[in-house]
Amino acid sequence: MKSYRKELWFNTPTRRAFVNITGELEKCLKESGIKEGLLLCNAMHITASVFINDDEPGLHRDFEVFLEKLAPEKPYSQYAHNGYEDNADAHLKRTIMGREVVIAVTEGKLDLGTWEQVFYGEFDGKRQKRVLVKIIGE
Amino acid sequence: MKSYRKELWFNTPTRRAFVNITGELEKCLKESGIKEGLLLCNAMHITASVFINDDEPGLHRDFEVFLEKLAPEKPYSQYAHNGYEDNADAHLKRTIMGREVVIAVTEGKLDLGTWEQVFYGEFDGKRQKRVLVKIIGE
Amino acid sequence: MKSYRKELWFNTPTRRAFVNITGELEKCLKESGIKEGLLLCNAMHITASVFINDDEPGLHRDFEVFLEKLAPEKPYSQYAHNGYEDNADAHLKRTIMGREVVIAVTEGKLDLGTWEQVFYGEFDGKRQKRVLVKIIGE
C-alpha cells in the first residue's frame, strides 16, 4: 500500500470565499503515483470546509444567502462563542457545508462525475489556513 | 490491496425521491470479494445525495418538509443559479443531506448499525443519474 | 494491509450531549499499530453523529440553539415520524451534524489540525448507543 500526504495553504482576502481546488488535487494524485485507492481531502481548521459542487458563480451567491439565513454572521452578540472571537457563524456554516470529501481514485484519476468540482470553503478568512490531502492505495 | 468499482444508475419518476440502495451495495461487496476495508458510495451528480438514515416513510415526509423549509424549490426566481436552470434548491438540499458515505467492511459484510440503511437522495430527478461505489481492501 | 475495528459505547444522561472522543480514537490507533492509512469513525445509530469541531462550551451552546432552530424537538406532533416515537428531530439534527468523519493517519498519529477535536453528538440519549472505529492501512 502506498500513502501520500500534502498540505495546501490558503489566505483569502475576504472573510468568506470558495476556491476551486480540483486542479490542485489532480496534481497531488499525479505526484503520488497512486492508481487505485481513496483520496481524503479535509479542512484542518474548524471554520472552513472542503465540499463538492458546481463551479457556477450564481450558485455560489445562492450558497452565501442560504448560509447567512441559517447561521447569520451578525449580530456577533447572538452567539455564546463570541466572547473573545467573532467567528461562531463560521463554525456553523462549515458544519452545513462539511469538513471533508472522500474521492475514489480509478486508473490514476479522480473518479468524479461530469460536473463535480472540489472547493475549499472559507468562512473566516484573511489569514493562513490549510487543507490536508491524504491518498492511500496502489 | 484489492479495488472494486461500479456505477449504479437511477431515473426517478419524480423530482425528489429517496431510494434504498443497501441491497445493491451488499451485492457490490459480494462481487468484490473484499473482506476487510472501506466502501465509498457517492452521488456523481451535484443535485443528488447518498446518505444513511431510517427506512421509515413518515421520516421521509419529515425530510421533505425540513428541506423545503431550509431551501424551498419555489419561487425559482429567488436563486441566482436559476437563469437557465430551475434546480438551485436541489444543490442546496443535497448539501444538507451530504454527497457520500464511507462504510466499514468487516468479515465481508457492510458494518452497519441495526437501523442504518443507505439511500440515494434525488433532488432533481426525471433523468438518468448515477452513483459511484468504490471498495478498497483485502 | 492491516485492519482494526472497535466499538465505543455511550449512555448520556441527557437527551442531547456532545462527548469529546479524540482521546479514545488515539487509543484505538495506538492499539491498531497502523502508521499510515485512514480512520473511519461513524455513529451506528441514526439519531447520533460523529463530527469534528472546537471543544468550547460556548460554541456547543450555539450548536444547541442552531439545531433547535432548524429542527425543533417540540411539538412532537409536527413530525410524521413521531407516531410511536418522539425522536424525528434527532434524525434531522444528526443529518446536519453528519454521520461520520474520515481522518488521515500519518506516522502513527491522527493527522488533525491544531483545534480539530472529534465529538460524539447525541440527539436521543439516555440509552446505550455505539460508535464504530475502523482503521485500515499499514
Side-chain angles (χ1 to χ4, degrees):
Chain A
M1 201 199 77
K2 279 188 192 172
S3 130
Y4 171 93
R5 180 192 195 275
K6 188 154 195 172
E7 290 178 6
L8 307 177
W9 287 83
F10 303 89
N11 190 337
T12 66
T14 49
R15 182 175 169 109
R16 287 192 285 281
F18 294 151
V19 183
N20 190 327
I21 59 173
T22 317
E24 292 291 317
L25 297 190
E26 282 165 353
K27 269 190 234 163
C28 290
L29 182 53
K30 205 171 171 185
E31 248 178 61
S32 77
I34 292 171
K35 302 293 180 197
E36 295 290 324
L38 294 176
L39 180 152
L40 167 69
C41 183
N42 65 268
M44 299 189 80
H45 298 258
I46 50 197
T47 52
S49 171
V50 173
F51 68 95
I52 288 181
N53 219 302
D54 202 353
D55 198 351
E56 200 280 297
L59 183 66
H60 295 187
R61 292 200 299 278
D62 293 331
F63 269 120
E64 166 69 15
V65 172
F66 169 69
L67 292 169
E68 269 292 282
K69 189 178 75 174
L70 302 189
E73 179 186 336
K74 297 174 185 172
Y76 295 128
S77 61
Q78 77 192 289
Y79 298 111
H81 181 60
N82 286 346
Y84 299 91
E85 310 210 56
D86 68 2
N87 65 2
D89 71 298
H91 290 269
L92 303 180
K93 285 178 171 105
R94 111 70 179 261
T95 299
I96 294 164
M97 298 305 287
R99 168 190 180 254
E100 80 213 12
V101 297
V102 178
I103 301 171
V105 173
T106 303
E107 297 178 4
K109 298 211 165 130
L110 298 177
D111 202 337
L112 294 170
T114 315
W115 299 101
E116 285 194 297
Q117 293 288 305
V118 191
F119 290 89
Y120 174 64
E122 177 62 84
F123 304 107
D124 184 30
K126 303 185 196 178
R127 52 194 180 95
Q128 291 284 326
K129 291 170 81 171
R130 62 198 165 125
V131 155
L132 179 63
V133 183
K134 184 89 183 190
I135 315 173
I136 67 163
E138 276 186 355
Chain B
M1 202 199 77
K2 277 187 192 174
S3 130
Y4 171 94
R5 179 193 195 274
K6 187 153 197 174
E7 290 177 5
L8 307 178
W9 287 82
F10 302 90
N11 190 338
T12 66
T14 49
R15 181 173 170 112
R16 288 192 284 281
F18 294 151
V19 183
N20 190 328
I21 60 171
T22 317
E24 292 291 317
L25 297 189
E26 282 165 353
K27 268 189 235 163
C28 289
L29 182 52
K30 204 171 171 186
E31 248 178 60
S32 76
I34 291 171
K35 302 293 180 196
E36 294 291 325
L38 294 176
L39 180 152
L40 166 69
C41 183
N42 66 267
M44 299 188 80
H45 298 258
I46 51 197
T47 52
S49 171
V50 173
F51 68 95
I52 287 180
N53 220 302
D54 202 353
D55 198 352
E56 199 281 296
L59 183 66
H60 295 187
R61 292 200 299 278
D62 293 331
F63 270 121
E64 165 69 15
V65 172
F66 169 69
L67 292 169
E68 268 293 281
K69 189 178 75 174
L70 302 189
E73 179 186 336
K74 298 174 185 171
Y76 294 128
S77 61
Q78 77 191 291
Y79 298 111
H81 181 61
N82 286 346
Y84 298 91
E85 309 210 56
D86 69 2
N87 66 1
D89 72 298
H91 290 270
L92 304 180
K93 286 179 170 106
R94 110 71 177 260
T95 298
I96 295 164
M97 299 304 288
R99 166 189 180 256
E100 79 214 11
V101 296
V102 179
I103 301 170
V105 174
T106 304
E107 297 179 5
K109 297 211 165 130
L110 298 177
D111 201 338
L112 294 170
T114 315
W115 299 101
E116 286 195 297
Q117 293 287 306
V118 191
F119 289 90
Y120 173 66
E122 177 62 83
F123 304 108
D124 185 29
K126 303 186 197 175
R127 52 194 180 94
Q128 289 285 325
K129 290 169 83 171
R130 63 198 164 125
V131 155
L132 179 63
V133 183
K134 183 89 182 188
I135 315 173
I136 67 163
E138 274 183 357
Chain C
M1 201 198 77
K2 277 187 195 175
S3 129
Y4 171 93
R5 178 192 195 275
K6 187 153 194 172
E7 291 177 6
L8 307 177
W9 287 82
F10 302 89
N11 190 338
T12 67
T14 50
R15 181 174 169 111
R16 288 192 285 280
F18 294 152
V19 183
N20 190 327
I21 59 172
T22 317
E24 291 292 316
L25 297 189
E26 282 164 353
K27 269 189 235 165
C28 290
L29 182 52
K30 205 171 170 185
E31 248 179 60
S32 76
I34 292 172
K35 301 294 180 197
E36 294 290 326
L38 294 176
L39 180 151
L40 166 70
C41 183
N42 66 269
M44 299 188 80
H45 297 258
I46 50 196
T47 52
S49 171
V50 174
F51 68 96
I52 288 181
N53 219 303
D54 202 353
D55 198 352
E56 200 280 296
L59 183 67
H60 295 187
R61 292 200 297 280
D62 294 331
F63 269 120
E64 166 68 15
V65 173
F66 169 69
L67 292 169
E68 269 292 281
K69 189 177 75 173
L70 302 189
E73 180 187 336
K74 297 174 185 172
Y76 295 128
S77 61
Q78 75 191 291
Y79 298 111
H81 181 60
N82 286 347
Y84 299 91
E85 309 209 58
D86 68 2
N87 66 1
D89 72 298
H91 290 270
L92 303 179
K93 286 178 170 107
R94 110 72 177 259
T95 298
I96 295 164
M97 298 305 287
R99 168 190 178 255
E100 80 213 11
V101 297
V102 179
I103 301 170
V105 173
T106 303
E107 297 179 3
K109 296 211 167 129
L110 297 177
D111 201 338
L112 293 170
T114 314
W115 299 101
E116 285 195 299
Q117 294 288 305
V118 191
F119 289 90
Y120 173 65
E122 177 62 84
F123 304 108
D124 184 29
K126 303 184 197 178
R127 52 194 179 95
Q128 290 285 326
K129 290 169 83 171
R130 62 197 165 126
V131 155
L132 180 63
V133 183
K134 184 89 182 188
I135 315 172
I136 68 164
E138 274 186 355

